[in-house]
Amino acid sequence: MLRWLRQAGHFGLEIGAFGAGSYPLARAGLLDDYACTTHWEYLAALQEEYPRLILSSQLYVVDKDRFSCAGGSDVQDLLLHFVGEAHGQTLARAVSDKLVCTARPSGDTQRGAQRRQSVYMPACLQDAILLMESNIEEPLSLQEISDLLGISAGR
């Protein structure tokens, strides 16, 4: 399976994962240096095992030709995002109305990942904390954290 995934990645195909499906993509090297997510219970372990991932606690992440989501109802949010991107927000809203749901934006944080966070804490700060917690044994520098998150170090 890993060989097949790597071949698909070399062909430039859009590849994605739901929930713990980020593990095989990470193992195949297909998420190295990509922004991605997984279910909140696996975030710290995945980051520790695969430090080249730019992990986020967001519901879903689309980065170039890779996409990932936390799983569960977040799959619906990701698919509504794709409908909106491909066919416009009017159709995406019509689909969400038929499904009797409201599409949540990708920037929303997974509820389980919010256990300790304040609603006033920006997502990038939550992601920085996750990176630090995932690298306790070999702490990242401020510059490494800001580079991984694509934000300024604030100096």
Side-chain angles (χ1 to χ4, degrees):
M1 177 180 76
L2 293 178
R3 186 171 359 122
W4 182 86
L5 285 170
R6 286 184 190 109
Q7 287 175 338
H10 290 297
F11 286 118
L13 299 176
E14 291 188 32
I15 300 173
F18 304 137
S22 294
Y23 269 97
L25 294 186
R27 197 168 299 127
L30 296 175
L31 294 177
D32 288 354
D33 304 315
Y34 278 89
C36 59
T37 193
T38 189
H39 189 277
W40 64 268
E41 291 180 310
Y42 309 122
L43 283 168
L46 189 64
Q47 184 70 69
E48 186 171 338
E49 193 169 346
Y50 300 99
R52 290 190 58 189
L53 305 185
I54 305 167
L55 267 168
S56 168
S57 58
Q58 292 177 201
L59 301 177
Y60 62 90
V61 176
V62 179
D63 185 5
K64 300 177 280 295
D65 56 353
R66 301 288 185 268
F67 61 89
S68 54
C69 80
S73 63
D74 303 332
V75 174
Q76 181 173 280
D77 297 310
L78 174 62
L79 296 177
L80 287 168
H81 165 81
F82 286 141
V83 169
E85 289 285 309
H87 304 287
Q89 291 306 309
T90 301
L91 180 60
R93 278 190 295 279
V95 171
S96 86
D97 287 346
K98 288 287 185 188
L99 296 173
V100 190
C101 70
T102 302
R104 297 172 293 174
S106 69
D108 282 4
T109 303
Q110 298 175 44
R111 273 189 244 142
Q114 296 173 347
R115 292 177 303 185
R116 299 183 316 232
Q117 285 101 4
S118 161
V119 294
Y120 302 105
M121 188 182 300
C124 65
L125 182 55
Q126 293 175 35
D127 293 340
I129 291 169
L130 175 65
L131 279 171
M132 289 186 280
E133 288 176 342
S134 301
N135 291 279
I136 297 284
E137 293 173 18
E138 296 181 38
L140 299 171
S141 71
L142 178 61
Q143 189 61 53
E144 289 172 317
I145 293 169
S146 62
D147 288 347
L148 286 169
L149 296 176
I151 58 175
S152 166
R155 292 183 186 181

